[in-house]
């Protein structure tokens, strides 16, 4: 969260000089990151404080008034004004002739329906200090000094410092909090504050409050305040501070509560007293109770939610937001001001449960000083009183003694152990003093008692951080420590194959893509209809709602993206995790997958254009699989796979285990994805490349080999894999390789047949072969083929 | 007299050799003079009839003629052959500017892959191991074990994607929001001393011009008896210098992460303008780039990892691989990484 702090407001609390960049650097250096510094007001000049001496109807225009306005100078100015509320005696901001206002407005003498106007009475918005809702001219307090420059009057020479607070520093979510931090950073102390101690008589009959959960709410104060309807609009000085802090104006009573929260860090709530029914109770909600919040959200409460209720039911979600029914409005005459301490855990739990957020909750869930409510309440009551409200009966509940944070023992050697160098005791103790921590020096270190607002300090390491950040991390000695030589490292098994495998595909012309791990339900269905998907409970979009069960959808989307940009010949690949549910478990596997589409290459003067087909894809896979050797043990069987062509898809297996799939897209799939028909994909389990870690050497034969070629006339329905296997089985151990080098259909080959030209390589591992051995082996092979498949050998 | 005959023969032969334009013609000349019935051979046959005195002189002259003729023939043949070959070669000349006939353009690795490899290499050389873990994690490893209890405000900073729980699943499943859960798993598996990095994909439900719902992180962890904040600073500086190839100024600021205490944010001197350009769009003129978070491992986290915090200390750091890739290649838009446009991918 970004806190907006007015430099002027802060300077009210502490002397930190005028240079806001020094402040910003110090805060950032101490862990309160300043993300921006902005001027508090858009520049304007020539605006002075004036008083309306008279406001007469314009002789020639119903809606205009002709005002005589004194600015303290000798002659009153005649100014024509269109605002209905302008009246005699009103103090106003007068833009005199020659004034320059925000939005490039220049004030000149002008004749309005025949009357010369010498300036303009300003609305807040025209000065860049209002919100769009209030259009009327700005009414200043009667004490506003006549003739004073308005820019100076509102201390417009101010800058707003945006501080990005980390979750541990809720104590800095106020002007006071930042001022305290500044006191430590500038080695100075807070200015004496004139917070009005408003005495409340405790004898007046208290309003009835029953605090039923002292654990969750150690302090609960409530005060009835009357005369709310007679309060004037929120005074300009307060409006300006609220505006600079980024808070909207809501209601004079609520504005005071917000102001105190912003200044001291204590959230408060304002109930409309007339809308409360009987006594107030602080309690846990009853399961099923309902509450409509101020932002009109309807909540079904949980029995762990802490509420403030009256006899009719919950009226506020404690410490988070009030209820709509008991909220203040323009007609409110008296209010109940709540000032309480709620413990962080209870507030945080309700916020997460109902996904709520508010300025109050922000502070309570991070921790608000338990000693603050009383001071804050007095401050607020003083402000109410100064605005003409009447302070009525009060109910004070809570321990009167000061709440202390537990003390922490910081051993000296822990500083050394964590930081690597030891600051002197003097430096350490100076830190405690600057931070306002009570401490006792002990033999081995310090016993430190953090102040009530430092909820983030619980263990000695937290104190080490305080010392380190006050010294400055940049001032801590940077050094390598002597230690035993680190163990040498190699890449882990699952990463061994990454470089060669991706390198192989890159050499084959593939471009690596990285696609989102979440895809649409439709895409998931297209390729993995049988997989039980892992679905996201809170996807950011419909098309990113399911964890991918295959890498193909991502590749197809990337292909589509590029096809639409006139890139038709594609080779894309991705390595990554895929996910599926198996019973109550979620299984995550790494795959490597590729997609090819279009032509094998751009039209070339030496080569015929060839489209991507099954065999091109298979070739890519074979090239890849050849890396792990034993390519003979890999089998390719016809297979069916969702999304793929039923007649051009193979499952890749080794020893019965599925390694992957390769195939052309089904024409309907290609059409659905808006991809060209000549698109194919492959997918291989990453795990098999673990074999790259170590490939055992096999001794090879040093003796010459003999090659014999055969032309086999076979039925087309017999797969080459079967023929090859039969040859290897019957051809004795001498047959090393079977190499298919031609397929012929045509004259002299019967219908339904083709002729396969194969080269057989024979070799012995320990001696030179004799011709007769090879002839015998070939004869055996031919006999087997004839018998098993009715294959004829063509002479 | 006889010497004049030899000389005349040679002059006659050489004149023919000179005129000859083909190897065939030269062969004919050879036969005409040196063949069995050639003019010179015929003269040699007459030697026997000459008186010994003349015989030797005439023989010598004829031999010289023969050698000279053979030499001239040989040279002329070589010349002609050379010319013939040159002619053939000239005919074989190709336009070397025509496109080659190879496997075509090579592919490319994703810039994040290049960057991740560079990081892995640096840390492996510093003795770090590489650890990996699941991307769908449980609440315990992603949050609780890292000192982020259920209602901790820091959870709000993580914008977590949750998984619809499978029937019967006991654990609350989510997409890991950082790679720190891998460190918890590794701490439970191994005993100190530990030096590891955990690179990988992480997820947060956040999407705008500077955030993608998926990105890449690399975190590091060192646990032993000498791990100090001073050393962490040294490691960070050393690593950044190796990654960017030059010494870079660093600034360490206090920050907050639930899993480290103390925690630091590291700002690095802007690698684009070196802090010299007030209009630099990369550092917005500040001269600094927020580059990584780090800190001393929180004792609660060590305890969750089964490590005795009294005896061991640890430091951890985390950085965005995508961000480093952007800085390294000068890429200004994070979304380019996941659009997979070939015009982008081809450049790496």
């Amino acid at each position: 969260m970004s806190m907006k702090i007015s430099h002027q407001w802060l300077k009210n609390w502490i002397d930190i000089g005028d240079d806001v960049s020094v402040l910003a650097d110090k805060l950032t250096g101490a862990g309160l990151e300043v993300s921006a510094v902005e001027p508090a007001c858009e520049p304007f000049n020539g605006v002075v404080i004036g008083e309306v001496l008279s406001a007469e109807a314009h002789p020639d225009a119903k809606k205009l008034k002709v005002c005589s306005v004194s600015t303290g100078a000798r002659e009153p100015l005649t100014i024509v004004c269109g605002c209905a509320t302008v009246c005699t005696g009103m103090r106003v901001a007068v833009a005199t002739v020659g004034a320059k206002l925000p939005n490039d407005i220049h004030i000149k003498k002008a004749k309005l329906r025949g009357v010369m106007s010498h300036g303009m009475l300003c609305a807040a918005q025209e000065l860049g200090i209002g919100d769009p809702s209030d259009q009327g001219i700005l009414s200043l307090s009667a004490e506003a000094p006549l003739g004073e420059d308005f820019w100076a009057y509102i201390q417009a020479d101010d800058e707003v410092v945006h501080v990005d607070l980390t979750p541990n520093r809720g104590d800095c979510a106020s002007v006071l909090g930042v001022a305290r931090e500044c006191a430590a950073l500038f080695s100075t102390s807070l200015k004496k504050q004139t917070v009005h101690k408003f005495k409340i008589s405790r004898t007046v009959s208290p309003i009835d409050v029953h605090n039923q959960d002292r654990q969750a709410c150690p302090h609960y104060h409530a005060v009835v305040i009357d005369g709310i309807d007679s309060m004037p609009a929120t005074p300009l000085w307060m409006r300006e501070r609220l505006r600079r802090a980024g808070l909207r104006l809501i209601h004079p009573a609520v504005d005071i509560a917000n102001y105190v929260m912003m200044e001291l860090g204590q959230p408060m709530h304002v109930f409309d007293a007339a809308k409360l029914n009987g006594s107030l109770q602080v309690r846990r909600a009853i399961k099923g109770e309902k509450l409509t919040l101020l932002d009109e959200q309807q909540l079904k409460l949980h029995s762990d939610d802490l509420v403030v209720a009256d006899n009719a039911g919950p009226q506020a979600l404690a410490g988070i937001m009030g209820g709509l029914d008991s909220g203040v409005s323009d007609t409110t005459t008296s209010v109940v001001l709540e000032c309480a301490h709620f413990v962080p855990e209870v507030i945080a739990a309700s916020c997460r449960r109902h996904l709520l957020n508010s300025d109050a909750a922000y502070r309570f869930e991070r921790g608000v000083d338990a000693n603050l409510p009383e001071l804050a309440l007095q401050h607020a009551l003083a402000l109410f009183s100064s605005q003409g409200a009447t302070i009525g009966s009060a109910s004070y509940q809570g321990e009167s003694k000061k709440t202390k944070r537990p003390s922490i023992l910081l051993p000296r050697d822990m500083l050394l152990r964590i930081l690597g160098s030891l600051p002197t005791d003097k430096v350490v103790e100076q830190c405690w003093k600057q931070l306002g921590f009570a401490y006792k020096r002990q033999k081995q270190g310090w016993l430190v008692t953090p102040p009530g607002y430092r909820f983030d300090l619980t263990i000695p390491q937290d104190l080490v951080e305080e010392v380190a950040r006050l010294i400055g991390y940049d001032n801590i000695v940077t050094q390598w420590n002597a230690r035993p030589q680190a163990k040498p490292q190699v890449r882990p098994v699952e990463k061994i194959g990454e470089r060669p495998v991706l390198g192989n595909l890159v050499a084959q012309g593939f471009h690596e893509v990285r696609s989102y791990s979440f895809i649409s339900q439709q895409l998931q269905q297209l390729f993995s209809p049988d997989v039980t998907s892992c679905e996201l409970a809170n996807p950011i979009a419909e098309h990113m709602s399911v964890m991918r069960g295959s890498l193909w959808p991502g590749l197809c989307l990337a292909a589509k993206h590029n096809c639409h940009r006139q890139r038709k010949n594609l080779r894309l690949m991705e390595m990554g995790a895929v996910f599926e549910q198996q019973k109550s478990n979620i299984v995550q596997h790494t795959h490597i997958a590729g997609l090819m589409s279009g032509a094998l290459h751009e039209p070339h003067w030496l080569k015929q254009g060839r489209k991507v087909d099954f065999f091109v894809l298979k070739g890519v896979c074979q090239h890849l699989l050849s890396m792990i050797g034993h390519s003979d043990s890999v089998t390719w069987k016809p297979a069916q796979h969702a999304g793929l062509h039923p007649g051009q898809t193979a499952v890749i297996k080794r020893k019965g285990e599925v390694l992957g799939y390769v195939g052309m897209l089904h024409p309907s799939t290609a059409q659905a994805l808006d991809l060209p028909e000549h698109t194919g994909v492959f997918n291989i389990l990453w795990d098999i490349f673990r074999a790259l870690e170590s490939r055992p050497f096999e001794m090879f034969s040093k003796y010459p080999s003999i090659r014999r070629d055969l032309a086999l006339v076979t039925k087309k329905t017999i797969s080459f894999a079967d023929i090859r296997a039969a040859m290897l089985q019957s051809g004795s151990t001498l047959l090393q390789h079977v190499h298919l080098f031609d397929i012929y259909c045509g004259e002299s080959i019967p219908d339904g047949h083709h002729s396969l030209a194969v080269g057989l390589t024979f070799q012995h591992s320990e001696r030179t072969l004799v011709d007769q051995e090879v002839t015998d082996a070939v004869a055996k092979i031919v006999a087997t083929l004839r018998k098993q498949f009715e294959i004829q050998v063509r002479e | 007299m006889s010497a004049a005959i030899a000389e005349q023969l040679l002059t006659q032969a050489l004149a023919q050799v000179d005129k000859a334009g083909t190897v065939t013609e030269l062969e004919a000349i050879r036969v005409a003079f040196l063949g069995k019935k050639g003019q010179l051979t015929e003269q040699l046959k007459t030697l026997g009839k000459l008186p010994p005195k003349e015989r030797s002189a005439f023989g010598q002259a004829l031999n010289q003629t023969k050698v000279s003729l053979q030499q001239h023939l040989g040279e002329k043949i070589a010349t002609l052959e050379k010319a013939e070959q040159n002619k053939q070669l000239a005919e074989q000349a190709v336009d070397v500017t025509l496109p080659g006939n190879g496997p075509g353009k090579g592919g490319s690795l994703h810039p994040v892959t290049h960057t991740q490899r560079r990081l892995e290499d640096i840390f492996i050389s510093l003795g770090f191991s590489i650890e990996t873990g699941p991307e769908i994690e449980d609440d315990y490893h992603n949050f609780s074990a890292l000192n982020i209890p259920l209602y901790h405000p820091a959870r709000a900073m993580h914008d977590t994607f949750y998984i619809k729980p499978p029937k019967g699943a006991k654990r609350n499943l989510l997409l890991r929001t950082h790679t720190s859960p891998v460190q918890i798993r590794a701490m439970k598996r191994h005993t100190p001393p530990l030096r590891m990095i955990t690179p990988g994909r992480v997820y947060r439900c956040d999407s705008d011009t500077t955030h993608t719902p998926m990105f890449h992180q690399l975190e590091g962890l060192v646990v032993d008896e000498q791990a100090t904040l001073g050393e962490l600073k040294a490691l960070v500086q050393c690593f950044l210098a190796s990654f960017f190839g030059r010494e870079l100024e660093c600034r360490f600021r206090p920050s907050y992460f639930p899993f480290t205490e103390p925690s630091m944010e590291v700002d690095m001197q802007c690698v684009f303008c070196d802090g010299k350009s007030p209009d630099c769009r990369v550092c917005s003129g500040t001269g600094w780039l927020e580059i990584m978070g780090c800190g001393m491992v929180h004792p609660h986290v060590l305890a969750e990892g089964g490590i005795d915090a009294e005896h061991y200390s640890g430091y951890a750091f985390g950085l965005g691989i995508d961000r480093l890739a952007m800085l390294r290649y000068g890429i200004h838009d994070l979304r380019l990484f996941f659009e997979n446009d070939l015009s982008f991918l081809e450049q790496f």
Side-chain angles (χ1 to χ4, degrees):
Chain A
M1 171 171 136
S2 183
M3 278 273 303
K4 292 179 185 171
I5 301 278
S6 148
H7 192 216
Q8 293 288 358
W9 196 352
L10 190 61
K11 285 201 293 186
N12 244 35
W13 280 87
I14 189 165
D15 206 358
I16 46 169
D18 288 331
D19 192 347
V20 75
S21 68
V22 171
L23 171 70
D25 285 349
K26 287 223 183 204
L27 288 175
T28 298
L32 272 66
E33 189 181 350
V34 173
S35 57
V37 177
E38 284 175 347
C41 299
E42 287 180 67
F44 60 81
N45 62 30
V47 181
V48 296
I49 295 169
E51 184 178 325
V52 179
L53 301 176
S54 66
E56 310 287 337
H58 191 288
D60 203 18
K62 264 188 191 167
K63 290 191 172 170
L64 296 181
K65 284 185 179 170
V66 179
C67 306
S68 172
V69 182
S70 161
T71 57
R74 268 176 222 160
E75 288 295 310
L77 301 169
T78 303
I79 295 174
V80 179
C81 173
C83 177
T85 56
V86 66
C87 58
T88 307
M90 190 175 176
R91 296 252 157 150
V92 289
V94 184
T96 55
V97 171
K100 283 181 189 164
L101 305 189
N103 298 319
D104 235 6
I105 295 171
H106 296 251
I107 303 300
K108 298 185 186 111
K109 263 190 233 176
K111 218 170 216 174
L112 290 163
R113 292 283 187 112
V115 178
M116 186 61 81
S117 180
H118 298 264
M120 183 176 92
L121 305 187
C122 301
Q125 218 193 341
E126 285 159 334
L127 296 171
I129 60 169
D131 62 49
S133 62
D134 68 327
Q135 295 291 340
I137 62 161
L138 200 54
S139 169
L140 308 178
S141 90
E143 288 91 55
L146 213 57
E148 184 170 332
D149 183 61
F150 190 70
W151 177 266
Y153 177 65
I154 61 165
Q155 296 193 320
D157 237 341
D158 185 13
E159 275 158 305
V160 176
V161 181
H162 297 237
V163 183
D164 286 348
L165 288 184
T166 51
N168 57 328
R169 296 306 304 271
D171 63 294
C172 289
S174 65
V175 176
L176 169 63
V178 175
R180 273 190 309 241
E181 189 70 13
C182 288
L185 302 177
F186 287 81
S187 303
T188 175
S189 46
L190 297 182
K191 287 184 186 173
K192 265 245 163 2
Q193 275 309 298
T194 48
V195 173
H196 298 282
K197 295 263 161 107
F198 194 90
K199 284 270 183 221
I200 315 163
S201 138
R202 295 196 186 210
T203 54
V204 195
S205 75
I207 72 157
D208 218 2
V209 175
H210 301 285
N211 186 352
Q212 297 168 9
D213 199 331
R214 293 256 168 170
Q215 213 83 59
C217 174
H219 303 268
Y220 194 95
H221 309 322
V223 180
V224 178
I225 304 168
D226 298 319
I228 298 298
D229 47 340
S230 62
M231 280 169 76
T234 301
L236 183 63
W237 64 268
M238 190 185 286
R239 288 176 58 135
E240 265 303 284
R241 284 185 169 178
L242 289 172
R243 182 185 67 81
R244 291 173 201 185
L247 293 173
R248 278 175 39 235
L249 296 181
I250 294 167
H251 179 279
V254 178
D255 291 345
I256 290 176
N258 281 343
Y259 178 83
V260 174
M261 175 184 74
M262 201 53 221
E263 180 148 55
L264 303 179
Q266 170 68 50
M268 295 184 191
H269 182 61
V270 187
F271 296 100
D272 186 331
K275 293 176 186 163
L276 291 177
N277 195 342
S279 65
L280 282 180
Q281 303 139 35
V282 183
R283 60 165 170 86
R284 301 288 172 151
I286 299 159
K287 203 182 167 202
E289 269 185 322
K290 287 186 183 146
L291 173 64
T292 304
L293 296 176
L294 278 169
D295 65 359
E296 296 179 26
Q297 243 192 103
Q298 298 200 3
L299 294 189
K300 238 176 118 179
L301 298 172
H302 185 276
S303 57
D304 284 344
D305 291 329
L306 189 72
V307 296
V308 180
D310 64 5
N311 293 347
Q315 296 301 339
L317 191 57
I320 300 174
M321 206 182 289
L324 188 62
D325 293 347
S326 56
V328 293
S329 69
D330 292 343
T331 57
T332 301
T333 55
S334 60
V335 297
V336 173
L337 179 67
E338 164 202 287
C339 188
H341 179 72
F342 300 110
V343 300
E345 298 74 28
V346 177
I347 305 304
S350 286
C351 282
R352 298 297 161 275
R353 198 176 295 127
H354 300 293
L355 299 172
L356 291 171
N357 233 326
S358 72
D359 286 330
Y362 177 86
R363 288 166 176 82
F364 277 128
E365 68 173 303
R366 283 161 178 76
V368 175
D369 188 351
N371 302 310
L372 194 55
E374 196 157 344
L375 173 75
L377 186 60
Q378 286 174 349
H379 192 36
L381 293 179
L383 288 169
F384 270 101
S385 175
S386 72
Q387 291 298 299
T390 316
I391 312 303
S393 57
S395 161
Y396 266 54
Q397 296 197 5
E399 292 96 56
S400 52
K401 67 169 194 247
K402 287 227 161 201
T403 314
K404 274 191 173 174
R405 303 281 307 160
S407 300
I408 305 164
L409 178 70
L410 172 65
R412 199 174 278 106
D413 74 323
M414 183 181 271
L415 277 171
L416 177 63
R417 230 160 57 83
I418 293 183
L419 300 180
S421 49
L422 187 63
T424 62
D425 282 8
K426 206 180 143 197
V427 168
V428 173
E429 286 168 15
Q430 184 59 33
C431 291
W432 308 147
K433 282 178 199 156
Q434 279 174 235
L435 289 161
F437 296 177
Y439 69 94
K440 270 187 212 142
R441 193 197 291 195
Q442 299 194 336
K443 203 171 168 197
Q444 75 273 41
W446 298 269
L447 188 68
V448 179
T449 311
Y453 44 86
R454 292 301 301 268
F455 279 73
D456 57 320
L457 306 178
T458 54
I459 56 172
Q461 282 82 354
D462 296 326
L463 295 174
V464 175
E465 179 171 62
E466 291 302 303
V467 173
R469 72 185 186 93
L470 278 207
I471 294 175
Y473 285 177
D474 285 332
N475 298 322
I476 289 167
V477 185
T478 304
Q479 62 187 3
W480 291 101
N481 297 329
R483 63 178 68 188
Q485 185 67 44
K487 233 168 61 183
Q489 295 293 341
V490 291
R491 314 187 133 256
V493 175
E494 62 267 28
K495 284 211 148 254
I496 288 276
E498 188 217 295
R499 294 189 188 201
V501 171
L502 296 190
N504 175 301
L505 287 172
V506 167
Q508 294 200 63
F510 282 79
H511 296 279
E512 189 198 5
V513 304
R514 296 226 169 189
S515 37
Y516 287 123
S517 307
F518 13 68
I519 56 173
S520 71
Q521 191 65 258
Q522 288 96 311
L523 273 176
Q524 181 86 323
Q525 283 299 315
L526 205 51
F527 291 111
S528 329
D530 306 327
V531 164
T532 311
S533 304
C534 304
E535 290 177 49
L536 292 179
N538 55 336
I540 50 170
E542 192 69 29
H543 67 278
M544 293 174 149
S545 58
V546 179
M547 297 306 287
R548 62 186 180 189
S550 159
L551 297 178
W552 292 342
L555 288 167
C556 288
L557 288 177
K560 187 173 152 187
H561 173 95
N562 285 293
C563 277
H564 287 177
R565 282 160 185 78
Q566 296 167 296
R567 306 295 295 258
K568 304 281 186 203
N569 306 329
L570 304 171
R571 293 177 188 219
L572 306 175
M573 55 122 162
E574 179 166 18
M575 175 189 162
V578 300
F579 309 84
E580 70 171 290
Q581 263 187 45
Q582 283 176 3
K583 292 182 186 160
S584 65
N585 284 323
I586 283 179
V587 184
Q588 311 179 50
H589 286 302
T590 305
H591 287 182
I592 172 102
L595 174 145
M596 297 181 80
S597 184
L600 256 189
H601 45 75
E602 299 291 331
H604 193 276
W605 62 288
L606 282 177
K607 288 183 278 195
Q608 293 229 316
R610 187 177 165 189
K611 297 277 188 190
V612 167
D613 61 23
F614 174 82
F615 294 104
V616 170
L617 282 152
K618 181 174 173 180
V620 168
C621 295
Q622 283 178 313
H623 195 283
L624 202 53
L625 290 170
S626 68
M627 295 176 68
I628 53 167
H630 311 288
S631 53
D632 285 356
S633 60
V634 173
T635 63
W636 308 74
K637 295 252 169 67
Q640 303 294 310
H641 192 293
L644 301 191
H645 192 300
Q648 296 182 5
T649 297
V651 56
I652 313 168
K653 286 187 176 182
R654 190 177 57 188
K655 293 176 189 150
E657 175 204 9
V658 175
L659 304 186
Y661 284 88
V662 54
M664 298 302 287
L665 288 192
H666 194 294
S668 315
T669 311
Q671 204 184 2
L673 292 168
D674 201 12
L675 288 175
E677 217 169 296
H678 296 277
T679 302
V681 289
F682 67 85
N683 177 51
I684 297 171
L685 294 186
W686 184 256
D687 272 0
I688 64 163
F689 295 107
R690 285 167 175 258
L692 288 175
E693 191 196 12
S694 67
R695 275 178 64 178
F697 165 74
E698 283 171 38
M699 189 52 203
F700 52 91
S701 170
K702 291 180 171 174
Y703 297 92
S705 61
I706 294 178
R707 171 159 161 160
R708 293 288 165 84
D709 291 352
L710 294 175
L712 308 171
V713 179
T714 124
K715 277 188 210 142
K716 283 181 178 174
T717 49
I718 301 167
S719 83
F720 176 65
D722 290 344
I723 295 170
R724 183 171 171 275
M727 288 197 276
L728 285 167
Q729 265 167 34
S730 62
S732 82
T733 53
L734 300 179
L735 179 57
Q736 300 293 318
H737 300 294
V738 178
H739 173 63
L740 175 80
F741 59 91
D742 195 22
I743 298 182
Y744 173 71
C745 299
E747 275 180 59
S748 79
I749 308 292
D751 272 357
H753 288 64
H754 54 195
S755 167
L756 306 177
V758 292
L760 309 181
T761 306
F762 296 89
Q763 195 177 30
H764 196 288
S765 58
E766 282 158 7
R767 58 178 171 80
T768 303
L769 283 177
V770 184
D771 219 36
Q772 191 57 43
E773 293 177 284
V774 174
T775 307
D776 291 348
V778 170
K780 231 167 115 187
I781 290 169
V782 169
T784 308
L785 293 179
R786 186 172 294 141
K787 197 173 140 202
Q788 225 172 311
F789 303 112
E790 298 175 345
I791 288 174
Q792 300 299 317
V793 175
R794 236 168 23 124
E795 298 305 324
Chain B
M1 165 71 200
S2 49
I5 290 170
E7 200 170 309
Q8 197 190 335
L9 272 176
L10 185 61
T11 315
Q12 207 184 326
L14 289 185
Q16 289 184 24
V17 167
D18 234 22
K19 265 195 247 163
T22 65
V23 177
T24 326
E25 282 174 78
L26 289 171
E27 179 59 16
I29 295 166
R30 191 189 64 79
V31 172
F33 289 88
L34 304 173
K36 274 185 189 164
K37 287 180 180 168
Q39 293 184 49
L40 201 132
T41 320
E42 291 296 327
Q43 289 295 331
L44 282 170
K45 286 177 189 166
T46 65
L47 280 179
K49 293 168 191 167
L50 292 178
K53 210 173 163 189
E54 280 179 44
R55 187 192 302 165
S56 118
F58 190 40
Q60 221 167 356
L62 284 177
N63 260 331
Q64 270 172 8
T65 302
K66 186 178 173 183
V67 168
S68 179
L69 178 56
Q70 278 172 336
Q71 192 188 336
H72 276 90
L73 277 169
E75 280 169 9
K76 182 76 189 219
I77 287 170
T79 309
L80 285 179
E81 278 177 353
K82 187 78 194 163
E84 181 64 21
Q85 192 188 33
N86 282 346
K87 200 177 135 204
Q88 279 176 14
L89 290 175
E91 282 165 8
Q92 288 166 4
V94 297
D95 177 358
V96 296
T97 66
L98 286 172
N101 183 13
K105 272 199 285 187
S108 58
L109 288 176
H110 197 279
V112 168
T113 304
H114 282 298
T115 308
Q116 185 171 328
R117 287 182 177 181
R118 187 177 173 86
L119 292 168
E120 288 176 1
D121 287 347
I122 292 171
F123 283 106
I124 281 184
S125 74
L126 289 168
F128 283 68
S129 67
I130 304 177
E131 303 284 339
T132 53
E135 292 174 24
I136 295 184
E137 261 295 358
D138 53 30
D139 195 277
Y140 170 76
H141 287 95
N142 196 73
F143 288 127
S144 315
L146 290 159
N147 198 33
I148 315 176
L150 191 51
Y151 297 121
H152 196 284
R155 287 209 184 195
M157 308 197 308
H158 278 241
D159 296 324
T160 313
F161 281 113
Y162 290 93
I163 298 284
K164 280 189 189 166
K167 269 192 187 143
K170 287 188 194 100
R171 300 170 306 163
N172 201 359
L173 295 171
L174 44 82
L175 295 185
R176 66 178 179 193
T177 58
H178 44 189
T179 59
S180 317
V182 183
Q183 301 182 349
I184 293 289
R185 290 173 184 277
M187 279 193 277
K188 287 178 188 283
R189 214 165 40 230
H190 308 295
T191 50
L194 299 173
R195 289 165 88 77
M196 68 177 83
I197 52 164
T198 58
R201 287 185 174 204
V202 299
Y203 305 86
R204 294 193 190 176
C205 40
D206 197 357
S207 188
D208 57 38
T209 52
T210 53
H211 296 90
T212 47
M214 178 186 93
F215 54 101
H216 300 84
Q217 237 189 13
L218 180 142
E219 296 188 23
L221 174 73
V222 171
V223 177
D224 62 21
E225 289 160 332
Q226 274 99 11
T228 64
L229 190 129
E231 188 180 71
L232 169 58
K233 286 173 65 187
L235 175 73
V236 165
Q237 282 178 348
C238 153
F239 145 72
L240 288 174
S242 342
F243 184 84
F244 288 101
R246 61 192 174 109
E247 291 299 326
L248 291 165
E249 218 181 299
C250 288
R251 175 170 96 164
F252 294 85
R253 284 185 288 116
S255 187
Y256 172 77
F257 310 108
F259 30 87
T260 49
E261 187 69 38
S263 304
M264 302 192 282
E265 192 83 56
V266 184
D267 294 338
M268 174 186 84
Q269 167 192 343
C270 176
V271 287
F272 284 89
C273 72
D274 284 337
K276 286 175 190 139
S277 161
D279 314 318
C280 178
R281 61 185 284 198
V282 177
C283 66
S284 319
T286 61
W288 295 105
L289 298 173
E290 259 182 49
I291 198 75
M292 60 200 285
C294 56
M296 302 302 294
V297 181
H298 197 286
H300 293 178
V301 177
L302 288 177
E304 286 296 343
I307 289 169
D308 176 9
E310 293 292 311
H311 194 64
Y312 293 106
S313 57
Y315 53 79
F317 51 90
L319 48 89
I321 301 175
D322 317 68
R323 175 149 169 80
L324 285 178
M326 288 171 82
L327 291 175
R328 188 161 148 72
Y329 295 109
I331 298 165
H332 294 301
D333 188 348
L334 175 65
R335 292 168 299 185
L336 283 171
F337 285 136
F338 306 108
E339 246 174 37
N340 297 321
D341 196 302
L342 274 178
S343 305
F344 174 76
L345 297 174
E346 280 168 343
Q347 299 183 29
F348 302 96

